[in-house]
Amino acid sequence: MSAAAILAGCSYTATSDIANPVVRKASWFSYLNGDDLRTACSAGEAEGRIRIVYNADYYKDVRTFDVTPQTGTDNFSMVSHMFGPLDVSEMNVSVRSPLGAFSGEPVRQTLTRQQYLTLTDAMQEDGFGTQNRDGLRLHSENYYWVALGCSQKQITLAAWANGDDDLRDLHFPIVLQKVAGQVDPLPPAPDPDVALSPDPTIGHDRDEQDRNFYRTVRGNTLQ
């Protein structure tokens, strides 16, 4: 059974810890799709929340950013993580999991309302809320951004993938870099003309097929 099939039934919830490599290994696809955020949003409990994920070749560098309004104030909490790099040669790929055990301690920042608005304005300038990316394939080996936000009990999903987009032209990562407080800068995206997006279903190496994976934008979800 492929890693994607194994992970398809593992849900990320409000009490899950993405910094825990076991949790991340079991529920990365659910986290990336914002399943926990979607549940809270539909219940009216996630207004203004944002999740942003930067995949800079999954086994080299992944960044996650979760922004939540602080109750009773105009401020917002941002919790970010950096996962990687990982020497894939040291992984036990025989377990059929591409989502292995490299961990990242959380970095916690407080954002002012103005910083939050600057970030969301930049996201909208880059197409958040107006995209139609149905069918866009996000490969683990490639560089891509995924962003989700909750407003009026509705989830908005946006995605940008190198090769289909020039990630170097995006505005919101510049804002994100300034407010996140991570010591290491965001990995620069490569030239889109040389972006690699191989299909992991092609080839005869079982370990290679299981180690590499992808998600596809289908409407407002990742499948």
Side-chain angles (χ1 to χ4, degrees):
M1 181 181 295
S2 71
I6 292 172
L7 292 166
C10 302
S11 296
Y12 187 86
T13 69
T15 59
S16 301
D17 179 12
I18 194 64
N20 184 321
V22 176
V23 173
R24 188 167 63 258
K25 173 181 172 180
S27 59
W28 177 251
F29 292 162
S30 178
Y31 175 82
L32 191 63
N33 189 48
D35 290 349
D36 59 317
L37 185 57
R38 293 173 187 274
T39 298
C41 187
S42 63
E45 300 171 353
E47 185 69 19
R49 284 181 56 185
I50 299 171
R51 174 168 298 160
I52 301 173
V53 177
Y54 183 35
N55 185 96
D57 189 335
Y58 185 86
Y59 291 102
K60 294 179 180 179
D61 202 322
V62 174
R63 309 293 178 98
T64 67
F65 308 84
D66 282 280
V67 182
T68 305
Q70 292 181 348
T71 304
T73 76
D74 283 337
N75 295 332
F76 296 76
S77 298
M78 173 181 281
V79 179
S80 61
H81 296 85
M82 179 178 70
F83 306 123
L86 177 70
D87 182 353
V88 297
S89 66
E90 297 177 358
M91 282 192 62
N92 178 10
V93 293
S94 66
V95 299
R96 306 298 177 200
S97 172
L99 309 174
F102 52 103
S103 60
E105 293 300 316
V107 175
R108 304 180 189 277
Q109 292 287 98
T110 297
L111 273 58
T112 65
R113 172 163 288 276
Q114 185 55 55
Q115 288 175 315
Y116 176 85
L117 292 175
T118 300
L119 175 60
T120 54
D121 285 349
M123 292 169 63
Q124 291 172 359
E125 184 177 359
D126 291 330
F128 185 80
T130 58
Q131 285 186 339
N132 179 5
R133 308 311 300 272
D134 193 57
L136 177 67
R137 186 168 286 186
L138 307 175
H139 292 270
S140 59
E141 312 96 304
N142 202 358
Y143 285 60
Y144 64 77
W145 287 93
V146 170
L148 302 103
C150 174
S151 178
Q152 299 180 344
K153 296 186 178 183
Q154 298 294 322
I155 283 287
T156 297
L157 178 144
W160 303 263
N162 205 46
D164 294 271
D165 306 283
D166 190 341
L167 302 186
R168 301 171 300 179
D169 290 340
L170 296 178
H171 300 86
F172 76 85
I174 299 172
V175 179
L176 197 60
Q177 179 72 69
K178 292 179 179 178
V179 301
Q182 290 187 343
V183 175
D184 293 336
L186 294 171
D191 187 321
D193 291 336
V194 296
L196 300 177
S197 298
D199 190 329
T201 62
I202 296 176
H204 303 289
D205 188 323
R206 179 67 180 275
D207 288 341
E208 185 71 13
Q209 292 177 25
D210 285 334
R211 187 172 65 84
N212 300 327
F213 58 95
Y214 64 87
R215 297 279 88 183
T216 305
V217 178
R218 297 298 183 195
N220 206 33
T221 63
L222 293 174
Q223 300 177 13

